[in-house]
């Protein structure tokens, strides 16, 4: 691991192996540790695995900011590739990392060989800013997207002594065994995200041990009081800025070979179902949509063998 200077900050980067580079981009809640089951197999298969703690996460810098739009992340990542002497990389993203992967491929096609995401491409932006839609939904029931917009609220409710419980509940809710959609059954007024998330079964789960959850929790706690969730909250609070950016960039398709790999039980499928032909409107190089059985939102962690098989077969093309 190493701290790499890029775009005015330092990002922690974990590298293993030699050969064609595979840039691994995590989401929320996650860090480079989210790819612990992929780094070794990629290296063994003859690839250079590069997993990054994005700004605001893990051991990377956490600049004070209300938000950062995805163009900032793109500049961070191009700086990492430059610093490591990587001309072109295969890019693999999970959750927010998928959005960054799609955007990097669109805006820097000369640096991206292929792109794999676990969340569908968002398509052309609509005429209304996301925060307006979030508020309308939150008038009916709890919506985490709206809840995260208020500065200081989630920091108070979910950080400090609440951090470990929040992460455990959120990770379970997003998994194949959880029920994230149940949070929408709560009213918005007076409800924190921790209140809305259901309790979890005791650890270990079939795919996550206590020591692994402890490692994840420690990586967030490293930010210090009020900064534990900085990376994720800044990303959520960039919704309107990312929408405006997407409107400027509309009409530029992503032509590199691409693949969408989702957990069969990923709750994202409930409100963003992947339609192959529709996705090909924006991902003109899209080869397929693969659903991994018995996996939820953390497909590469919940079913690592199945995910790695898909990933390595994809890269070998």
């Amino acid at each position: 691991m190493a701290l790499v200077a890029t775009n005015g900050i330092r990002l922690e980067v974990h590298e293993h192996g030699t050969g064609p580079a595979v840039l691994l981009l995590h989401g929320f809640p996650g860090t480079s540790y989210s790819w612990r089951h992929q780094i070794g197999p990629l290296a063994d298969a003859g690839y250079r695995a590069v997993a990054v703690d994005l700004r605001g996460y893990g051991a990377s810098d956490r600049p004070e900011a209300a938000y950062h739009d995805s163009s900032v992340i793109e500049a961070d990542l191009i700086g990492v590739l430059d610093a490591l002497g990587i001309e072109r990389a295969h890019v693999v993203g999970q959750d927010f990392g998928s959005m960054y992967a799609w955007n990097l491929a669109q805006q820097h096609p000369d640096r991206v060989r292929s792109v794999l995401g676990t969340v569908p491409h968002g398509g052309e932006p609509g005429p209304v800013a996301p925060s307006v839609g979030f508020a309308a939904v939150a008038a009916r029931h709890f919506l985490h997207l709206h809840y995260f917009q208020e500065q200081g609220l989630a920091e108070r409710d979910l950080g400090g002594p609440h951090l470990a419980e929040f992460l455990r509940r959120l990770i379970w809710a997003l998994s194949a065994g959880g029920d994230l959609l149940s949070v929408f059954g709560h009213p918005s007024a007076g409800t924190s995200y921790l209140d809305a998330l259901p309790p979890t079964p005791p650890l270990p789960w079939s795919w996550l041990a206590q020591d692994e959850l402890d490692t994840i929790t420690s990586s967030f706690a490293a930010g210090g009081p009020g900064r534990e969730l900085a990376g994720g909250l800044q990303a959520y609070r960039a919704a309107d800025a990312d929408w405006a950016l997407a409107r400027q960039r509309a009409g530029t398709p992503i032509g590199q070979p691409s693949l969408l790999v989702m957990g069969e039980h990923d709750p994202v499928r409930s409100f963003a179902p992947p339609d192959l032909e529709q996705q090909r409107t924006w991902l003109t190089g899209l080869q397929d949509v693969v659903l991994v059985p018995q996996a939820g939102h953390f497909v590469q962690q919940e079913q690592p063998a199945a995910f790695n098989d898909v990933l390595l077969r994809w890269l070998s093309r």
Side-chain angles (χ1 to χ4, degrees):
M1 70 184 71
L3 283 173
V4 174
T6 173
N7 199 24
I9 63 170
R10 297 171 305 160
L11 299 183
E12 180 155 293
V13 176
H14 297 254
E15 280 191 274
H16 192 44
T18 59
V22 182
L23 182 64
L24 302 167
L25 307 178
H26 66 81
F28 176 80
T31 64
S32 57
Y33 187 68
S34 301
W35 303 105
R36 62 195 178 279
H37 302 301
Q38 284 70 52
I39 291 174
L42 281 168
D44 292 343
Y47 295 95
R48 181 183 182 185
V50 180
V52 181
D53 282 346
L54 298 171
R55 65 166 59 209
Y57 293 90
S60 292
D61 288 345
R62 306 189 188 203
E64 292 282 350
Y67 63 84
H68 48 255
D69 69 30
S70 58
S71 69
V72 175
I73 303 297
E74 292 161 30
D76 290 351
L77 296 174
I78 292 298
V80 167
L81 295 180
D82 289 344
L84 299 181
I86 298 171
E87 183 177 349
R88 299 176 70 216
H90 301 284
V91 183
V92 181
Q94 189 265 335
D95 188 72
F96 274 122
S98 298
M99 179 179 73
Y100 302 142
W102 303 134
N103 289 345
L104 197 67
Q106 180 196 50
Q107 295 300 305
H108 300 275
D110 58 320
R111 307 302 297 271
V112 177
R113 292 178 181 272
S114 71
V115 58
L116 184 155
T118 69
V119 173
H121 188 280
E124 299 296 330
V128 178
S131 62
V132 176
F134 298 163
V137 174
R140 302 193 298 272
H141 59 71
F142 179 83
L143 181 69
H144 61 290
L145 296 162
H146 177 73
Y147 167 81
F148 281 144
Q149 299 305 309
E150 183 178 336
Q151 293 281 341
L153 179 62
E155 288 88 341
R156 180 198 70 203
D157 290 348
L158 309 177
H162 312 293
L163 179 65
E165 180 70 10
F166 167 64
L167 290 174
R168 184 172 69 250
R169 290 195 182 200
L170 180 58
I171 290 169
W172 172 254
L174 285 163
S175 74
D179 183 15
L180 180 73
L181 302 186
S182 67
V183 304
F184 303 142
H186 294 260
S188 289
T191 302
S192 78
Y193 202 2
L194 184 55
D195 293 332
L197 288 165
T200 76
L203 286 157
W205 305 330
S206 64
W207 62 278
L208 190 73
Q210 182 66 58
D211 64 322
E212 292 177 302
L213 181 60
D214 290 344
T215 297
I216 294 167
T217 302
S218 295
S219 70
F220 280 92
R227 302 290 294 159
E228 299 98 331
L229 305 173
L233 295 177
Q234 288 172 338
Y236 278 107
R237 290 167 186 165
D240 283 357
D242 281 335
W243 167 79
L245 189 64
R247 286 172 65 85
Q248 296 173 18
R249 297 173 167 183
T252 303
I254 296 166
Q256 296 94 325
S258 55
L259 188 69
L260 178 59
V261 182
M262 300 186 73
E264 183 181 21
H265 302 290
D266 188 340
V268 171
R269 292 184 63 215
S270 299
F271 44 85
D275 179 278
L276 182 61
E277 293 310 312
Q278 185 183 55
Q279 286 288 297
R280 281 180 173 151
T281 303
W282 311 296
L283 305 171
T284 58
L286 182 63
Q287 303 298 304
D288 201 1
V289 175
V290 178
L291 297 180
V292 177
Q294 301 178 45
H297 194 57
F298 305 104
V299 56
Q300 86 280 22
Q301 297 180 68
E302 294 178 62
Q303 296 296 334
F307 181 86
N308 291 351
D309 182 63
V310 172
L311 174 61
L312 293 173
R313 286 174 181 269
W314 163 250
L315 292 174
S316 71
R317 296 181 188 178

